[in-house]
Amino acid sequence: MSSQEEIVFMKEAIRLSVMNVTEGKGGPFGAIVVKDGKIIARGANSVTSTNDPTAHAEVVAIRNACKELNTFQLDDCDIYTSCEPCPMCLGAIYWARPARLFYANTKVDAADIQFDDQFIYEEIARPVNERKLFTKQLLRDEAMEAFNLWKESNAKVEY
C-alpha cells in the first residue's frame, strides 16, 4: 500500500513527464529526488532539446540533486520517476546510492511507445566480442598507470 506522501511525490514526477511532452522539450519522462519529505530536485527528459543522449529525467534529477546537496551520493534520498528506469538511468541511480526508488510506467509500457531498451539489456549480457557495437581493447598496460596511482593514493575520495 502506498502512503499519501508517496502518491503526492509520484504525481509530481508524472506531472513533469506530461508537461515535458506538452511543452515539446523531450520524451515523456519526469523524475524527482526527495530528501526528508521535501523535493530537492526535479528532472525531465531533454535529450532532443539539448542534443544530449544522457539527459534522461533521472540523470537530470540526480545531477540537480547532487548540486543542491553538494555531494556525489544521494544518501537518505528517494527517487520518483514516471517510468521504470532504462539501463543507463538504473546504473546512475545505483551509483548515486539513494535509499529507495519508485516508478510508475513499466519498461514494457515504454517499449509500447517505441522507447525499447531490451536490446541494451541483451547486449550487456553478451560477451564483448559478440556485441553489435564493435569493441576492441587497446593499451591496457598504459592505462593501468592511473589505476595503480589511484590504488596507492592517500588523497582519493572513495565512493
Side-chain angles (χ1 to χ4, degrees):
M1 188 77 168
S2 298
S3 75
Q4 189 60 34
E5 188 175 66
E6 291 169 350
I7 290 169
V8 168
F9 290 139
M10 184 56 73
K11 283 185 175 185
E12 176 61 9
I14 293 167
R15 184 189 71 77
L16 291 170
S17 71
V18 171
M19 186 174 73
N20 209 49
V21 174
T22 60
E23 293 180 356
K25 293 183 177 177
F29 306 100
I32 63 169
V33 178
V34 174
K35 184 169 179 134
D36 299 326
K38 178 183 167 204
I39 298 173
I40 60 165
R42 290 173 171 80
N45 180 289
S46 61
V47 169
T48 57
S49 60
T50 62
N51 293 321
D52 179 353
T54 69
H56 290 200
E58 298 91 336
V59 172
V60 172
I62 288 167
R63 289 173 181 162
N64 291 339
C66 288
K67 186 175 183 180
E68 176 69 23
L69 296 173
N70 195 32
T71 184
F72 55 85
Q73 291 187 179
L74 298 178
D75 297 326
D76 302 318
C77 291
D78 294 331
I79 296 178
Y80 291 79
T81 181
S82 65
C83 186
E84 186 175 359
C86 75
M88 177 184 69
C89 292
L90 189 59
I93 290 166
Y94 270 95
W95 278 114
R97 295 175 174 86
R100 301 183 301 172
L101 169 66
F102 300 89
Y103 67 91
N105 293 324
T106 68
K107 62 184 178 181
V108 174
D109 297 329
D112 286 344
I113 61 164
Q114 308 308 308
F115 288 93
D116 189 357
D117 300 320
Q118 186 58 39
F119 80 96
I120 298 173
Y121 289 105
E122 291 169 5
E123 284 289 292
I124 290 169
R126 295 180 197 275
V128 173
N129 64 338
E130 293 179 18
R131 292 181 184 163
K132 291 179 178 148
L133 176 65
F134 175 83
T135 305
K136 180 179 178 180
Q137 184 179 26
L138 296 171
L139 302 177
R140 179 182 180 267
D141 291 340
E142 288 85 342
M144 287 301 295
E145 179 181 358
F147 281 18
N148 291 330
L149 287 168
W150 174 261
K151 188 167 70 173
E152 302 301 322
S153 175
N154 292 324
K156 65 186 169 200
V157 176
E158 295 193 29
Y159 55 98

